[in-house]
Amino acid sequence: MVARIYRPAKTAMQSGKGKTQRWILDYEPETARSVEPLMGYTSSSDMKQQIRLFFEDREEAVAYAKRNGIPFRVEEPRERTVRGASYSDNFKFSRIAPWTH
């Protein structure tokens, strides 16, 4: 079972970068989830999907995986690009689309 080491991205529901500084070690699922036919619950027999380990930096996570013999894959985070815009840009004459109310 391969573990995935990554730093989570910012959620779409917030503008801050909280909970995005730590690195996470998650296990990839071994088996697909199945739907229980009577009640419709989604279940899995893979208990390692419930394990999530947090580390302060990437080197700690890689050292933990190597020390415990866990095969791993590191996903480097993509830095977000912030496009600067001002409020007055909404009212420019050179806008592509006309401003409407």
Side-chain angles (χ1 to χ4, degrees):
M1 173 177 290
V2 177
R4 182 172 70 128
I5 298 172
Y6 65 98
R7 198 170 81 192
K10 179 184 80 69
T11 66
M13 300 304 290
Q14 63 185 4
S15 61
K17 292 168 56 174
K19 299 182 182 178
T20 62
Q21 304 305 317
R22 297 188 299 178
W23 288 79
I24 297 175
L25 184 138
D26 275 340
Y27 286 98
E28 295 289 331
E30 280 186 349
T31 60
R33 293 185 177 191
S34 60
V35 177
E36 196 266 327
L38 181 63
M39 297 298 289
Y41 299 143
T42 304
S43 64
S44 176
S45 61
D46 184 16
M47 292 298 132
K48 287 191 177 182
Q49 285 182 341
Q50 299 175 7
I51 298 174
R52 175 175 277 184
L53 301 174
F54 295 95
F55 299 94
E56 293 300 319
D57 57 2
R58 183 173 69 99
E59 289 77 26
E60 286 182 21
V62 170
Y64 176 84
K66 286 181 180 179
R67 186 172 56 244
N68 292 308
I70 302 169
F72 63 92
R73 181 181 76 221
V74 177
E75 294 179 5
E76 293 297 328
R78 285 184 260 154
E79 297 300 323
R80 69 180 215 159
T81 57
V82 178
R83 185 175 54 114
S86 66
Y87 180 70
S88 63
D89 290 344
N90 294 329
F91 307 102
K92 281 186 175 179
F93 286 110
S94 61
R95 275 182 61 103
I96 296 171
W99 184 81
T100 59
H101 228 296

